[in-house]
Amino acid sequence: MKKTVRISFEGKSYDVEVEVLDSNVAVAAAPAPAAAPAPVAAPAPAAAPAVAGGTEVKSPLAGSVFKLKVKVGDKVEANQEVAIIEALKMENPVVAPCAGTVNSVSVKETDTVVDGQTLLTIA
């Protein structure tokens, strides 16, 4: 099902068409004509792989680590923003796929990452 939502960014409003994949996740389909694209939160992975030592949080795209919002030992909730990846001058939030405690952080701010690279683990 497609819906149109209004997003405000830096004092400007944009109408964005989104496709609802299920009741909890939406992904931007296309911006309204003549509107600049607005940042859209990356959806949490449907099922993050559980590995020895925790659940991996992976980069959803190639770019550079603009900001790490957690450190080892921090408690996080499911869908909490844990990092921001910058790509093509856009800030792309990375969210925790589950609740838990940050077990390890594999990158630092300014590191270049590839799509699917493990950023941190949550136990």
Side-chain angles (χ1 to χ4, degrees):
M1 168 173 39
K2 290 188 178 186
K3 290 186 173 184
T4 301
V5 295
R6 180 161 292 140
I7 298 173
S8 295
F9 180 68
E10 295 182 350
K12 294 182 182 177
S13 292
Y14 302 94
D15 289 340
V16 180
E17 187 177 289
V18 295
E19 182 177 355
V20 178
L21 302 176
D22 66 32
S23 62
N24 296 324
V25 179
V27 178
V40 176
V51 294
T55 301
E56 294 180 331
V57 178
K58 297 185 178 226
S59 178
L61 71 166
S64 67
V65 180
F66 178 71
K67 180 126 179 113
L68 286 172
K69 296 191 162 201
V70 295
K71 61 186 180 312
V72 173
D74 286 354
K75 295 202 181 299
V76 296
E77 297 297 321
N79 297 318
Q80 176 181 332
E81 193 172 284
V82 294
I84 298 174
I85 303 298
E86 183 179 42
L88 300 173
K89 297 185 180 184
M90 299 231 0
E91 295 176 10
N92 302 279
V94 179
V95 297
C98 62
T101 302
V102 177
N103 194 31
S104 68
V105 177
S106 306
V107 295
K108 63 184 186 311
E109 290 180 2
T110 72
D111 280 356
T112 299
V113 295
V114 296
D115 183 20
Q117 181 175 339
T118 300
L119 303 175
L120 54 102
T121 57
I122 300 171

